[in-house]
């Protein structure tokens, strides 16, 4: 497949096309991933999440600039689960303010929900795999930190940065919503607004009280729109990754993440075969009639449907 080769060569145009295929759930997308799977796994995946408007895109952009300056190949995937129809608009928005994208060698992509639940998380992971195979060395995944599906997306990353701001009770919200439970690193952004020390103190207290008893969570102050604290944030990510690799925790997380992903893909494929396969509607109808004629139980028939679909 020519597209697979172009993706491997790192063509942005090809990567964009390939991501659209997985985003739309097209079979060609899955074929592509089968062709490229042996080239996936070298890139570092960094999740970035936090409340709306906290400065995630700005911070990603600045981090990308730092990494790009030393020759890393960066990609940014911005996930937008809340508004299925605004993907295009948001993409424009995100690229407008992008310093790194302006330089032309940071790949940027916005992903929006299409269809069934869980589809976005799956498509995002597929997109990240494609970017990985294409030779991107750092892949940022930006998600708005509200709701369970976002938290699921960030679990696919090797390192998750949670961004908070000192204003508007972000800290309390983050503790309540479970956002801090996915944090490997916390960045208190908009430190120029004041109150960063107070928030840091509250977070440390919360951590000490057992919110995250096992690990020390680094807390940094940043001012993303001025680039302040961003090189330190990059260094903190790298120190985290280095330590996790040394202890084996890095691979362990990847394995757990992959187990999770495989379960979801398997469920998706079984469902597709069950309800979308050839003759599926007729089989269900017959099965229902059999139950109503008292020839078999609902569970017996459901098992038979699964057996037939998997045949
Ligand atoms: N004062 C101040 N403003 C900042 C800082 N970082 C970012 N901003 C501004 O905050 C606004 C929102 O920044 P974004 O980077 O778009 O925030 P976001 O978290 O990506 O927003 P969503 O993706 O919509 O959730 C922009 O106007 C930024 O310029 C900061 O450290 N201090
Ligand atoms: Mg953003």
């Amino acid at each position: 497949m020519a597209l697979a080769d172009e993706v491997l060569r790192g063509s942005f145009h090809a990567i964009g096309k390939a991501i659209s295929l997985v985003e739309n759930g097209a079979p060609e997308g899955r074929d592509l991933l089968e062709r490229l799977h042996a080239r996936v796994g070298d890139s570092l995946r960094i999740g970035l999440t936090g409340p709306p408007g906290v400065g995630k895109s700005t911070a990603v952009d600045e981090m990308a600039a730092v990494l790009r300056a030393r020759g890393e190949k960066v990609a940014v995937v911005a996930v937008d689960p809340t508004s299925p129809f605004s993907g295009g608009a948001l993409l424009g928005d995100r690229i407008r303010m992008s310093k790194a994208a302006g330089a032309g060698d940071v790949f940027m992509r916005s992903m929006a929900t299409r269809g069934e639940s869980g589809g976005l998380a799956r498509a995002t992971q597929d997109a990240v795999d494609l970017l990985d195979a294409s030779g991107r060395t750092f892949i940022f995944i930006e998600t708005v930190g509200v709701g369970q599906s976002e938290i699921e997306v960030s679990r696919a990353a090797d390192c998750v940065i949670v961004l908070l701001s000192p204003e508007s009770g972000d800290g309390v919200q983050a503790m309540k919503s479970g956002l801090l439970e996915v944090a490997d690193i916390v960045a208190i952004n908009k430190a120029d607004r004041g109150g960063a020390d107070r928030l840091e103190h509250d977070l440390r207290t919360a951590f000490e009280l057992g919110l995250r008893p096992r690990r020390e969570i680094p807390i940094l102050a940043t001012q993303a729109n001025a680039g302040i604290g961003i090189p330190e944030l990059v260094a903190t990510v790298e120190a985290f990754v280095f330590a996790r690799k040394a202890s084996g925790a890095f691979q362990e997380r990847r394995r757990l993440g992959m187990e999770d992903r495989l379960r979801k893909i398997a469920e998706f494929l079984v469902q597709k075969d069950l309800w979308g396969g050839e003759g599926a509607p007729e089989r269900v109808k017959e099965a229902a009639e059999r139950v109503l004629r008292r020839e078999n139980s609902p569970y017996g028939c459901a098992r038979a449907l699964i057996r037939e679909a998997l045949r």
Side-chain angles (χ1 to χ4, degrees), residues 152-165:
E152 191 183 314
V153 170
S154 59
R155 265 177 37 206
D158 299 311
C159 173
V160 178
I161 304 169
V162 170
L163 244 73
L164 301 174
S165 85

Side-chain angles (χ1 to χ4, degrees), residues 294-306:
R294 309 186 194 190
E295 290 169 17
N296 200 346
S297 73
Y299 285 89
C301 271
R303 281 209 192 83
L305 282 172
I306 294 171

Side-chain angles (χ1 to χ4, degrees), residues 122-247:
R122 199 175 55 242
T124 302
Q125 287 176 324
D126 292 350
V128 170
D129 275 4
L130 291 169
L131 285 163
D132 189 328
S134 83
R136 297 282 108 188
T137 54
F138 279 78
I139 303 171
F140 289 94
I141 308 164
E142 177 189 338
T143 61
V144 179
V146 285
Q148 208 52 45
S149 56
E150 291 72 7
I151 291 175
E152 191 183 314
V153 170
S154 59
R155 265 177 37 206
D158 299 311
C159 173
V160 178
I161 304 169
V162 170
L163 244 73
L164 301 174
S165 85
E167 23 178 51
S168 65
D170 275 3
V172 178
Q173 264 311 109
M175 286 172 216
K176 280 195 205 152
S177 65
L179 192 56
L180 287 177
E181 279 153 47
V182 297
D184 296 308
I185 296 166
V186 174
I188 301 177
N189 193 44
K190 304 197 181 180
D192 53 306
R193 296 277 172 85
D197 291 346
R198 174 76 207 275
L199 176 55
E200 179 175 344
H201 175 264
D202 289 352
L203 291 172
R204 288 204 192 281
T205 307
F207 286 142
E208 272 158 33
L209 289 176
L211 189 65
R212 287 293 291 271
R214 287 182 306 272
R215 275 196 277 130
E216 179 99 342
I217 310 285
I219 304 175
L220 284 83
T222 57
Q223 225 174 295
N225 63 345
I228 296 171
I230 297 296
E232 291 80 1
L233 184 55
V234 173
T236 306
V237 169
E238 292 190 298
F240 173 83
V241 170
F242 186 83
R244 302 271 293 184
K245 282 190 171 163
S247 71

